[in-house]
Amino acid sequence: MNIKEMCILLSSISFFAYVASYFLTPHMKNEFKRFNLDKLGLLTIILELLGAMGLLIGLKINPILIISSIGLALLMLSGLIIRIKSKDSIWISFPALFYMCLNAYIFLAAIQ
């Protein structure tokens, strides 16, 4: 297994976990409420689910990998911007930054 494949697995498993936590714990829903974005919570979770599935499918079908990885990177960029505007600490904002960079790396590796 190469580095790109390990990154794909890490990202997809993480996003599946985020999706599960949205439905299993109140924390994620409370975060969307805190940002005054509770109406976008379910849409965001659906996009994360599609992105995670797309990364796995992308292991075999590269165009799906390209679309999924850039989509997740942009979704995390949006999340990072929201956290910065909300004046969240770097510690709280770090996961959005990390997954934005991770999926940007996957995207760049997929287009080469």
Side-chain angles (χ1 to χ4, degrees), residues 15-78:
F15 279 105
F16 283 130
Y18 280 126
V19 169
S21 73
Y22 181 81
F23 295 106
L24 298 175
T25 69
H27 176 72
M28 295 267 302
K29 290 178 185 171
N30 290 338
E31 285 291 284
F32 284 106
K33 287 178 186 172
R34 182 170 73 94
F35 299 132
N36 221 8
L37 297 171
D38 37 336
K39 292 183 181 179
L40 292 177
L42 186 58
L43 173 62
T44 302
I45 292 306
I46 290 169
L47 293 173
E48 288 181 1
L49 178 62
L50 291 172
M53 291 175 9
L55 290 176
L56 293 178
I57 294 167
L59 287 167
K60 297 291 182 190
I61 305 170
N62 198 59
I64 302 293
L65 180 61
I66 292 169
I67 293 166
S68 298
S69 59
I70 195 64
L72 287 171
L74 291 172
L75 189 63
M76 291 298 98
L77 173 62
S78 300

Side-chain angles (χ1 to χ4, degrees), residues 11 72 86 92:
S11 184
L72 287 171
S86 297
I92 292 172

Side-chain angles (χ1 to χ4, degrees), residues 14 21 23 36 55 72-73 82 85 87 93 97 103 106 110:
S14 297
S21 73
F23 295 106
N36 221 8
L55 290 176
L72 287 171
I82 289 166
K85 285 185 175 184
K87 299 186 183 349
S93 304
L97 174 64
N103 282 285
I106 294 168

